[in-house]
Amino acid sequence: MAGSSRVPVSLRSFASSKKATVRSSSLLVLNLDLFRNIVFAFFVLRHFRRAVRKLRGRGVFGTLVDFYSAVQRYSYGVFLNFPGIRSKVQSQVDEALKRLEDKLVPKGPGVTRYHELPKEGMTELQVKAELKKLSEMEHASWEEGKVSGAVYHGGDDLLNLQSEASRIFSISNPMHPDVFPGVRKMEAEIVAMVLAMFNAPSSAGGITTSGGTESILMACLSARTKAYVERGVSEPEIIVPSTAHAAFDKAGHYFGLTVHRVAVDSVTLKVDLKAVARLVNYNTVLIAGSAPNFPHGIIDDIVGLSKIALRRRIPLHVDACLGSFLIPFLEKAGYPTEPFDFHVKGVTSISCDTHKYGFAPMGSSVVLFRTKKLRSYGYFISAAWTGGVYASPSLAGSRAGSLIAGTWASLMSQGENGYTNSCRDIVGAAKEIESGIRERLHPDLYILGEPMVSVVAFSSKTLNMYEVADELSSLGWHLNALQDPPALHIACTRPTVSAVEKFLKDLEKAVQSVKLRGEGEPGSRAAVGETTALYGVAGSLPNKSVINTMATGFIDTLYKA
Ligand SMILES: *Cc1c(COP(=O)(O)O)cnc(C)c1O
């Protein structure tokens, strides 16, 4: 009996368990369906909201243009990958990189290249002799003022003073304030002096960094953290002028920010305020303007940007990396200026490079925040680290106290009068170049916008500017090539001041040569120069992957010993 009764029970239980599985699996199916629908709804909603934001931000036409260029970029990328094309492009890239290497990396019997530590350390005299040789390698002649920007020289006396300051503090590290109290004091004072220059309120604070790029990175990072902590923004966006420094893209790349670049007005070359306002949405963590920008030396409408920032309650960064120690002194030097500092209510952070017109040693910059809280959003603290409680204000860990000492010495020795005078000379040189081009090179060249500081950008409606750059280059000048529109700029520095007339004469010569070429003078069609080769190609490509490959090769070349 026991046996026979067991069968139905087990059958029953089998049946019931089967029913149960059927029921639960249909429930599971139901749940899965529901789940799938929810996920799908989220997916649609997310993309729908993105699409709405995009349409609102860029307009229907702008969205279509973006779409068109994305398609163009993609199809050109596919084209570049065709077997025959790909190998051809690669061989041209290799050839260009070979030329670059020949130029940058000296070889041959006269050159000793060190690929390993010397077995036995050199004597001081030997090292000094090597250093002398290295400093005398053939180079672009900045000493005659023929290089745009690049060398922010404050005179030989200042250089000697800086070297002395660096020597005294060469082993110091601000990470250890108890060991190097003097460095802490100098660093705090550098920040205080720069805060005062930019009319910061007493609530403000700042930090020193390794350069303008790090200053901009820190401003973006603190804005991102602020938006995350205070509003829960997890898909952060920043809005910057098309002319703003590439460091903003770097910040986007490092910190996962979507970077919206906004076109500038075609006449004033200041950022289009309406376009900025349209792009602001819940995810916007920062908007930025330059005072002035690197390409054209134009100061954006900071007051206009401030109005948007205040209305939408978002931080506004002013990039005064280049303006640095010129723009705060324009008025005192007797030149027109525009509002750019903390006097403008919406401005929440400012980057200022001491290593540009502050004439401090390279590797030194300051970033200022309207409130100490905003500054602290950039801090990094690791409370539970095995190595102890770790806290640092910026990207670096250990830093060079020698740079702080060199910077402090520069600020102290120049003083307000020193910087006012250098502003008068440098901006004066830029104004002479500007009026020289307007008067002597019209109608071949025209000035971009109305520059107010040290950079003068110029272009042409008739001439290829990259050919002009190559002609100038053959006369020993190194200007910066710009894109979109093709143009050149010169960033005046102290060495430029005594080279203005020489520059204008050589520019006239260069323009003449390019014009003669254009008229097909026999024998005048010289080989295509470097600037023309690079930017001629770069400008015409819808997909910049070739340029990326080239640029990667360029950086690799820099590390060939
Ligand atoms: C130089 C510069 C920067 C930062 O450049 P670094 O090379 O990192 O010092 C940022 N913005 C502008 C406008 C600049 O000219």
Side-chain angles (χ1 to χ4, degrees), residues 211-214 216 245 247 290 292-294 319 321-322 353 355-356:
T213 299
E214 191 183 349
I216 290 172
H245 198 268
S290 316
N293 64 43
F294 171 82
D319 178 13
C321 281
L322 185 61
D353 284 358
H355 71 193
K356 281 188 180 151

Side-chain angles (χ1 to χ4, degrees), residues 400-421:
S402 58
L403 282 177
I404 288 168
T407 303
W408 188 86
S410 312
L411 268 57
M412 296 304 282
S413 80
Q414 296 295 290
E416 214 174 279
N417 65 328
Y419 288 121
T420 308
N421 289 338

Side-chain angles (χ1 to χ4, degrees), residues 26-99:
S26 74
L27 250 180
L28 196 68
V29 168
L30 247 176
N31 279 338
L32 260 182
D33 257 358
L34 186 67
F35 184 65
R36 208 163 30 213
N37 284 341
I38 290 172
V39 169
F40 183 68
F42 263 115
F43 180 80
V44 169
L45 188 69
R46 196 180 150 116
H47 281 265
F48 178 72
R49 278 173 49 186
R50 272 204 191 147
V52 169
R53 275 205 296 269
K54 171 100 191 162
L55 274 172
R56 200 193 294 147
R58 293 276 294 142
V60 176
F61 184 70
T63 306
L64 282 176
V65 168
D66 288 354
F67 181 70
Y68 175 75
S69 51
V71 169
Q72 206 185 18
R73 219 169 25 241
Y74 177 78
S75 15
Y76 193 75
V78 171
F79 167 75
L80 284 178
N81 265 319
F82 284 167
I85 307 287
R86 190 170 165 177
S87 54
K88 188 147 184 209
V89 169
Q90 192 57 50
S91 76
Q92 281 182 4
V93 167
D94 291 344
E95 207 178 292
L97 287 173
K98 178 81 185 47
R99 273 201 308 274

Side-chain angles (χ1 to χ4, degrees), residues 366-494:
V366 173
V367 56
L368 312 171
F369 298 93
R370 184 178 281 277
T371 63
K372 296 193 177 67
K373 179 149 196 205
L374 191 55
R375 175 177 67 178
S376 73
Y377 279 132
Y379 290 175
F380 175 77
I381 290 146
S382 178
W385 182 39
T386 319
V389 176
Y390 182 99
S392 76
S394 54
L395 296 181
S398 292
R399 291 177 296 129
S402 58
L403 282 177
I404 288 168
T407 303
W408 188 86
S410 312
L411 268 57
M412 296 304 282
S413 80
Q414 296 295 290
E416 214 174 279
N417 65 328
Y419 288 121
T420 308
N421 289 338
S422 62
C423 173
R424 192 173 296 120
D425 293 348
I426 291 166
V427 177
K431 292 203 185 288
E432 271 180 61
I433 288 176
E434 181 195 346
S435 59
I437 292 175
R438 286 197 202 276
E439 284 153 24
R440 288 154 62 174
L441 284 139
H442 177 81
D444 296 322
L445 300 182
Y446 68 93
I447 299 284
L448 291 170
E450 294 194 358
M452 296 175 80
V453 200
S454 60
V455 168
V456 183
F458 48 95
S459 185
S460 173
K461 295 203 158 61
T462 48
L463 306 174
N464 179 334
M465 288 311 289
Y466 302 132
E467 288 181 15
V468 175
D470 286 327
E471 287 296 335
L472 277 171
S473 176
S474 70
L475 296 169
W477 292 89
H478 286 255
L479 268 58
N480 296 80
L482 312 173
Q483 317 186 71
D484 198 23
L488 301 180
H489 92 204
I490 180 163
C492 297
T493 57
R494 288 254 280 241

